Amino acid sequence: DSGVTQTPKHLITATGQRVTLRCSPRSGDLSVYWYQQSLDQGLQFLIQYYNGEERAKGNILERFSAQQFPDLHSELNLSSLELGDSALYFCASSRGGAWAEAFFGQGTRLTVV
Amino acid sequence: QQPVQSPQAVILREGEDAVINCSSSKALYSVHWYRQKHGEAPVFLMILLKGGEQKGHDKISASFNEKKQQSSLYLTASQLSYSGTYFCGTGPRGQGAQKLVFGQGTRLTINP
């Protein structure tokens, strides 16, 4: 158990809908990363927050947004969903900084039908 | 900028050695290595920092060549449990911008 909690574990929704994925980081971790992993593909970096502030953005679509709340949990919002958005979405947390390892949650498997 | 890993896949017999390489077109400050088993979350293996500091794992080692902007992961006397996909990530430069961007992965299969 990495200490990072993601909910829900599985989500099935229709095209055009909006969903929210939730991530609770490890206790004491200020940094949260979001990744998208399509079937048998690599980990695509989406966005990163540190202590409530957005710090880095990757290839995140405009239909996707995220935020980190004062209690440090984070949410990833995906809207106007398309079939191609079906993927495993991982959240990872770390203490921040170059030396800090990232701990991954078990992921949310999103299926868009 | 996504780092490039090689090889993309490798199949070994138990007890053989493997080397996985990670290259970046940008200057590397830190390199992270993770292993992901099928259907599971990636798990931390090792961090290498510019300047040579290394944190890591008992039976797996790594090198970091700052000049060549490369890192290599060495798995010696591989065990069945080493099977999985290995990702290298080019890490953040401290407390500022904190992208942790991963390569496309190297799939390692260890057969008995």
Side-chain angles (χ1 to χ4, degrees):
Chain A
D1 182 7
S2 67
V4 179
T5 303
Q6 287 188 248
T7 56
K9 286 190 169 42
H10 301 275
L11 197 50
I12 301 175
T13 189
T15 53
Q17 295 299 304
R18 173 190 167 94
V19 297
T20 297
L21 313 183
R22 182 186 168 103
C23 170
S24 294
R26 285 191 329 150
S27 176
D29 284 358
L30 300 178
S31 186
V32 169
Y33 301 87
W34 284 98
Y35 294 90
Q36 180 192 56
Q37 186 173 43
S38 301
L39 191 62
D40 290 332
Q41 298 295 311
L43 295 156
Q44 294 299 316
F45 171 72
L46 295 177
I47 198 164
Q48 184 258 340
Y49 282 83
Y50 182 82
N51 203 20
E53 290 184 8
E54 180 187 306
R55 284 294 182 92
K57 250 182 173 176
N59 298 324
I60 187 166
L61 299 171
E62 285 190 12
R63 300 183 285 109
F64 295 1
S65 65
Q67 53 186 325
Q68 187 179 29
F69 295 87
D71 67 353
L72 301 177
H73 90 271
S74 179
E75 292 180 356
L76 179 67
N77 301 297
L78 315 176
S79 62
S80 303
L81 285 167
E82 303 174 358
L83 296 177
D85 297 327
S86 295
L88 196 51
Y89 289 85
F90 283 108
C91 160
S93 76
S94 81
R95 302 214 181 278
W99 59 90
E101 63 196 84
F103 294 85
F104 281 78
Q106 289 303 305
T108 293
R109 183 167 295 282
L110 174 66
T111 303
V112 183
V113 297
Chain B
Q1 193 81 14
Q2 187 179 27
V4 177
Q5 291 183 231
S6 62
Q8 288 189 321
V10 59
I11 300 174
L12 298 175
R13 288 193 181 278
E14 198 173 5
E16 292 182 332
D17 300 341
V19 180
I20 299 171
N21 300 304
C22 175
S23 300
S24 174
S25 58
K26 290 178 129 180
L28 290 175
Y29 187 78
S30 66
V31 178
H32 296 223
W33 286 97
Y34 291 77
R35 175 172 62 210
Q36 184 181 30
K37 292 189 179 282
H38 186 68
E40 298 181 9
V43 174
F44 169 79
L45 292 176
M46 190 170 303
I47 289 177
L48 299 103
L49 300 177
K50 188 174 180 178
E53 183 180 346
Q54 175 177 327
K55 293 172 66 175
H57 198 273
D58 281 334
K59 307 220 181 237
I60 299 172
S61 62
S63 64
F64 183 8
N65 188 321
E66 296 162 29
K67 264 191 175 178
K68 291 186 178 179
Q69 295 167 191
Q70 286 179 349
S71 176
S72 295
L73 186 72
Y74 305 96
L75 301 99
T76 54
S78 57
Q79 306 168 16
L80 294 176
S81 61
Y82 287 5
S83 291
T85 300
Y86 288 76
F87 292 98
C88 74
T90 52
R93 293 179 54 90
Q95 296 293 345
Q98 304 237 346
K99 276 189 182 183
L100 177 55
V101 180
F102 290 95
Q104 80 281 19
T106 295
R107 182 169 294 184
L108 175 65
T109 304
I110 309 294
N111 291 321

